[in-house]
Amino acid sequence: MPEAMRLVTWNINSLRLRLPLLEKLTTHLLPDVVCLQETKVPDPLFPAEALRELGYEHLHYRGMKGYNGVAILSRHPLEPLPDMPDWCDKEDCRHVAAMVHTPQGSVEVHDFYIPAGGDEPDPDINPKFAHKLAFVDEITDWFSARSSARTVLVGDLNIAPLEHDVWSHKQLLKIVSHTPPETQRLGRLLDTGFVDAMRHFVPPEEKLYTWWSYRNRDWQKSDRGRRLDHIWVTPDLVPELSGMMVIREARDWASPSDHVPVMLDLSPP
DNA sequence: ATGGTTGGAATCCAA
C-alpha cells in the first residue's frame, strides 16, 4: 500500500527571506504538496530553481510586488485549474488552484490567502473589512454553485471561527478575525461542502492556534494565539484522513514567520 | 485604552 499523501499549508511571510526555513520544513516532513501564502514575490522573481532543488518540480504560483502571493509546490504533476475567477476584481494574487496527480490519487487543491481586513470591524468605514467580507461571500457563492469532490481547501483564511480557536473568545469578539460577521461567513463557506480537517483530529473544546503575533515578547509564555490557517476537505476524503500536525516549533525557528505550518496526511483506504 | 514587531518598499503601508 502506498504511503500517505502529505500536504502542508504555511503563511511563510516572504518566500525569499525564508527559503532556508522552507528547506528545513520540507527535509524533515517530506510533504508531497506545499501550499504557501504571503510569498511576497512577483512571478518573474519566483525562486523556482531553488524549489526544484528541494524536490518540487511542479509549481503553480501567482505573486505581486510587495504583498500577498500564493504558491502550490508539488512533487507530483499538477494542472492549474482553468477559468478561476478574479475575486473582487482586484487581481491581488490571493488564490491558486490545481489538480494534483499523486500516487495516492488525484486531488483538487485550493490555496487561499483571504484578506486580513484591517483593524476596524465595520465595513461601512473600513474598506479592507468590506473587502474581506465580500471576498468570503464571493468564494462561497462560487463553491455553492459547484459540486466538489476529492478537494482540499487550505490557506491563511484570516478567520478564527471557533471559541477555542482564539486565546480569549470574549476579548476577541470585536477584534477582526473573530467577529460574528466573519465567523458566520466562514461557517457558510464550510457548509458549501467541506469538513474542518484540523478539528477532525482536535476536539473543539481544545485550544488550537496557528498564529502568534510578532508583538508579543514571549509568544510561548503569553500564548495569545489564533487559528487563522485551515485545512478543509470534502466529505469523500474524510475516510482517508490519517494524520494532522501543527508545527508549533516553527514559531521558534530563527527569523520565523508569525504563522506556523500545518500538515495533513491522506491515506488511501 | 494603548502599544507592542515584522517585511517590503520607500521614508510609510500592510499585517
Side-chain angles (χ1 to χ4, degrees):
Chain A
M1 160 163 147
E3 291 174 38
M5 181 202 122
R6 176 164 288 179
L7 179 144
V8 165
T9 181
W10 192 17
N11 179 322
I12 195 168
N13 189 14
S14 175
L15 172 56
R16 285 174 293 176
L17 187 68
R18 281 184 245 286
L19 266 174
L21 299 191
L22 183 65
E23 176 171 19
K24 180 171 178 160
L25 178 79
T26 56
T27 45
H28 279 89
L29 296 178
L30 295 172
D32 298 281
V33 178
V34 180
C35 295
L36 300 174
Q37 305 87 37
E38 281 205 271
T39 55
K40 294 185 175 177
V41 56
D43 291 347
L45 300 178
F46 192 84
E49 268 320 300
L51 298 176
R52 290 197 176 99
E53 282 167 23
L54 295 182
Y56 298 95
E57 301 258 345
H58 307 277
L59 306 169
H60 181 36
Y61 51 87
R62 186 168 295 139
M64 60 193 286
K65 190 173 174 178
Y67 309 103
N68 308 338
V70 282
I72 300 174
L73 329 177
S74 175
R75 297 184 187 277
H76 313 293
L78 62 73
E79 303 171 72
L81 288 198
D83 307 319
M84 288 296 105
D86 175 28
W87 310 111
C88 303
D89 295 316
K90 286 188 180 289
E91 296 184 348
D92 57 355
C93 306
R94 295 181 179 278
H95 177 219
V96 277
M99 289 292 305
V100 182
H101 303 291
T102 80
Q104 297 81 22
S106 296
V107 288
E108 181 176 312
V109 177
H110 290 266
D111 180 12
F112 278 104
Y113 175 51
I114 289 181
D119 289 332
E120 178 55 58
D122 181 347
D124 293 329
I125 60 176
N126 174 10
K128 290 184 203 168
F129 194 68
H131 177 213
K132 181 177 198 172
L133 300 182
F135 190 101
V136 179
D137 286 341
E138 277 194 20
I139 62 180
T140 299
D141 289 346
W142 189 81
F143 279 104
S144 51
R146 194 169 189 273
S147 64
S148 298
R150 295 192 64 80
T151 297
V152 183
L153 187 159
V154 307
D156 177 4
L157 307 186
N158 265 317
I159 298 172
L162 305 179
E163 183 172 339
H164 295 292
D165 291 339
V166 294
W167 61 275
S168 169
H169 173 62
K170 201 175 167 184
Q171 284 176 262
L172 287 171
L173 272 171
K174 291 179 177 171
I175 301 298
V176 171
S177 73
H178 195 60
T179 68
E182 296 167 86
T183 56
Q184 285 163 10
R185 274 175 175 80
L186 201 69
R188 282 191 58 228
L189 177 57
L190 184 73
D191 288 344
T192 63
F194 291 98
V195 172
D196 182 340
M198 295 175 69
R199 286 298 185 187
H200 175 87
F201 292 95
V202 180
E205 59 273 13
E206 201 171 301
K207 294 290 185 190
L208 188 60
Y209 313 139
T210 64
W211 173 89
W212 293 262
S213 171
Y214 284 128
R215 297 176 191 180
N216 289 334
R217 263 277 161 235
D218 188 337
W219 73 275
Q220 296 216 64
K221 191 178 173 200
S222 54
D223 199 19
R224 295 186 167 188
R226 304 179 202 169
R227 185 169 71 112
L228 303 179
D229 303 274
H230 298 271
I231 302 180
W232 294 355
V233 300
T234 46
D236 53 352
L237 289 177
V238 169
E240 302 185 22
L241 293 172
S242 58
M244 189 283 293
M245 187 162 48
V246 177
I247 317 300
R248 219 180 133 101
E249 59 265 34
R251 190 62 181 76
D252 261 344
W253 290 349
S255 191
S257 170
D258 45 353
H259 296 253
V260 298
V262 184
M263 183 198 90
L264 185 80
D265 284 336
L266 290 170
S267 299

